[in-house]
Amino acid sequence: HGDWMAWFSQHAEHRLFFSRLFFWLDIRYFGGEGLLLISLNFVLLVLLWLTLYRMTHTLLADSFASQYCTTIGLWLVIVCFSAMQIVTFIWGFAIQNYLALLVPLWAFLSFAYAKINDQDKYFWLAVLLGICSAGAMANGLLVMPLLACMAVLLRQSLYKVMLLVLFSAVIIGLYLHNYDSSQAQGTLATALFAQPIYFIKFFLAYLGAPFYTIFESAIVTIIAGAVFLLLSIFYSIQWFK
């Protein structure tokens, strides 16, 4: 009805700009049958797999593990196209879930390429993708601040760090403009302080979710999530050293 701000209106805590764009295209040109959306789900999954495989190939290129790239690539196919995700594969509304993974990942990779190749075009591509991430799902708001942290860790110029901090503030400020907190599904602080034990169990189970499909055991799932978290912390510390 001529209200262009409807593209940025809230859905719970999210502002699903890109999802709405694809919803409109599906309704306008495919009769709202979801054909475009479901097809895009698979396209985005293929792009996600290709990105992860390319990352693996690049990281292992000069190591003894390079011979396992093909094996890892096949394992990534299983992870990305696991049957336990069948509900999201065939649900057009789930498109933002894949956008929320792929767009931030491309932003971080672009920033890494900017550092490796010393080319500003990749830096500005990372900035653009960081902005777009906020239009995928609410967690995309973290991308620009994380890029700023990444700039500090990679010892980028003060100019780039401050620019990313400025972009972070502007994006978050615009996102929260006319934000209706009553639509949000609770806050992290509320969940953490109201039921801390439940929150920790849920968080660890979320990280270990693939193991529940295999063993159908909540305990195994929580342990798997804890192992994943501890290994992530360990290797992060090793990287900083």
Side-chain angles (χ1 to χ4, degrees), residues 4-207:
W4 65 273
M5 285 301 294
W7 293 94
F8 301 95
S9 61
Q10 276 182 251
H11 174 81
E13 64 270 29
H14 310 288
R15 296 189 186 273
L16 306 177
F17 171 75
F18 291 105
S19 294
R20 287 192 172 97
L21 177 61
F22 292 126
F23 295 159
W24 179 82
L25 289 172
D26 184 69
I27 293 170
R28 178 68 176 81
Y29 296 104
F30 296 92
E33 296 293 331
L35 178 63
L36 174 65
L37 301 175
I38 294 172
S39 299
L40 282 174
N41 282 347
F42 284 95
V43 169
L44 292 172
L45 269 173
V46 170
L47 290 174
L48 179 61
W49 173 76
L50 287 172
T51 302
L52 292 172
Y53 179 71
R54 179 61 181 171
M55 287 171 56
T56 301
H57 190 274
T58 301
L59 290 171
L60 300 181
D62 299 321
S63 72
F64 73 94
S66 59
Q67 59 184 315
Y68 301 113
C69 280
T70 301
T71 302
I72 295 173
L74 293 173
W75 177 76
L76 287 171
V77 170
I78 297 173
V79 172
C80 290
F81 297 92
S82 170
M84 67 181 181
Q85 298 187 70
I86 187 65
V87 174
T88 55
F89 291 163
I90 60 175
W91 187 30
F93 190 73
I95 190 170
Q96 65 262 15
N97 297 328
Y98 301 120
L99 289 170
L101 292 172
L102 195 58
V103 180
L105 181 59
W106 283 348
F108 298 132
L109 285 175
S110 297
F111 196 87
Y113 274 113
K115 168 65 176 178
I116 295 170
N117 299 302
D118 194 26
Q119 294 185 10
D120 283 343
K121 66 180 181 180
Y122 290 114
F123 170 79
W124 289 110
L125 178 59
V127 170
L128 177 61
L129 289 167
I131 294 171
C132 291
S133 296
M137 289 183 74
N139 49 10
L141 278 180
L142 295 175
V143 174
M144 198 64 76
L146 287 173
L147 285 175
C149 294
M150 194 173 175
V152 173
L153 292 173
L154 294 178
R155 297 178 175 83
Q156 296 293 286
S157 66
L158 180 61
Y159 165 74
K160 287 185 177 179
V161 173
M162 295 307 297
L163 195 62
L164 289 168
V165 170
L166 177 61
F167 272 114
S168 299
V170 171
I171 293 300
I172 293 174
L174 289 174
Y175 193 95
L176 296 179
H177 180 65
N178 290 331
Y179 183 83
D180 182 4
S181 59
S182 65
Q183 293 190 40
Q185 302 175 21
T187 65
L188 179 63
T190 301
L192 183 58
F193 289 111
Q195 295 180 300
I197 302 301
Y198 178 81
F199 177 85
I200 293 170
K201 287 182 178 180
F202 175 82
F203 179 70
L204 295 177
Y206 186 86
L207 294 178

Side-chain angles (χ1 to χ4, degrees), residues 212-241:
Y212 185 81
T213 304
I214 300 171
F215 298 101
E216 295 186 351
S217 169
I219 298 297
V220 172
T221 304
I222 291 171
I223 292 173
V227 170
F228 175 80
L229 180 62
L230 290 173
L231 287 175
S232 298
I233 294 172
F234 173 77
Y235 283 110
S236 295
I237 294 172
Q238 293 297 110
W239 183 82
F240 279 112
K241 289 181 178 180

